[in-house]
Amino acid sequence: DLLLRKHSKNPIALYLSGDARARSGRLKEAEEMFTKTLEIKGDFALVYNARGVVRVLNNSWDEALIDFYQETALAPNLADAHANLGTYWVLKESSEGALEAFNKALAINPQFALAYNGMGCSYFGKGEFENAAMDFSMASQLNPLLVMSEINHGFASTYAAKLLTLASMERKPGMSLESINQEYPSLLKEQKQQLLKMLPSQTDQEFW
């Protein structure tokens, strides 16, 4: 706060103060500080992202979405901006929106491990466990310290194998996994719901 007292109208000082409050769990104060920052510098993309994250944590979903879209508009070539929007859609269980956002992030930065992890979560939510496993594996290869990707890969691989086993047991000769899904929707839906419950929770510190 010493920096803020000396530079109360400086957007960077305000942003850093808001970030410190957010990291200490003072979310309401952090949001107010980020808003003050944007009143001074309305094109500060990183602040829109920071306020969006805080608003997600405060369950202000609509306002958070506006912030994330504003960030991508201001910084269209910033991979993190698209990844954060993708994360929003993962949390809102919109796989299509998430995949679109993460694909944009990876087009900008093909080495973005968190974006691959987000893609895996998106495919997992759609029940496409093989695709999810591949993306989780890529995330883990790109960043071995991203432990959640390795855990997620284990879950996705296990359930991809379970679905293949189910398909081999239930299907008629020549029946694809897609046709199994059509013929046995309730069974596969139940399987999907069970494993979604087992997927590690994407908390703010781990996922954003």
Side-chain angles (χ1 to χ4, degrees):
D1 284 346
L2 179 60
L3 176 65
L4 184 60
R5 284 196 294 272
K6 290 183 177 180
H7 306 280
S8 61
K9 299 297 183 181
N10 184 298
I12 295 177
L14 286 164
Y15 166 67
L16 292 175
S17 180
D19 182 69
R21 284 165 168 77
R23 292 177 186 276
S24 64
R26 296 152 65 187
L27 300 179
K28 182 176 176 56
E29 293 178 24
E31 182 176 348
E32 291 173 352
M33 199 64 63
F34 292 141
T35 298
K36 287 181 181 178
T37 307
L38 292 170
E39 288 171 356
I40 297 171
K41 184 174 175 57
D43 62 348
F44 202 155
L46 290 178
V47 180
Y48 280 106
N49 172 68
R51 190 174 67 174
V53 171
V54 167
R55 285 176 165 176
V56 165
L57 299 177
N58 283 329
N59 292 314
S60 299
W61 293 94
D62 292 342
E63 292 86 349
L65 181 60
I66 292 171
D67 280 342
F68 290 137
Y69 273 124
Q70 186 67 36
E71 181 193 18
T72 59
L74 289 169
N77 294 318
L78 181 63
D80 291 68
H82 297 287
N84 289 331
L85 181 58
T87 300
Y88 173 94
W89 288 123
V90 167
L91 295 174
K92 293 297 285 183
E93 300 183 6
S94 173
S95 296
E96 295 305 324
L99 288 171
E100 179 182 357
F102 287 125
N103 272 317
K104 288 180 180 179
L106 289 169
I108 297 168
N109 180 7
Q111 305 299 309
F112 197 169
L114 273 175
Y116 274 109
N117 185 76
M119 287 279 284
C121 291
S122 306
Y123 279 123
F124 198 101
K126 293 180 66 177
E128 297 182 20
F129 304 118
E130 288 186 76
N131 286 334
M134 287 189 290
D135 283 328
F136 288 139
S137 177
M138 179 62 74
S140 186
Q141 290 176 43
L142 289 171
N143 185 356
L145 298 179
L146 198 60
V147 178
M148 63 179 175
S149 292
E150 186 64 31
I151 295 172
N152 290 346
H153 176 259
F155 278 106
S157 298
T158 297
Y159 284 99
K162 284 189 176 183
L163 281 187
L164 288 175
T165 301
L166 175 65
S168 66
M169 292 173 60
E170 298 287 349
R171 72 182 178 190
K172 305 177 181 69
M175 182 180 283
S176 66
L177 188 58
E178 181 179 355
S179 56
I180 282 282
N181 194 18
Q182 294 172 353
E183 186 161 338
Y184 304 99
S186 61
L187 180 59
L188 289 180
K189 183 178 180 180
E190 182 181 345
Q191 291 271 326
K192 175 183 171 182
Q193 291 302 317
Q194 289 301 316
L195 53 101
L196 283 175
K197 291 177 183 178
M198 298 179 67
L199 187 67
S201 173
Q202 306 298 341
T203 61
D204 52 293
Q205 288 86 357
E206 293 174 330
F207 203 61
W208 291 97

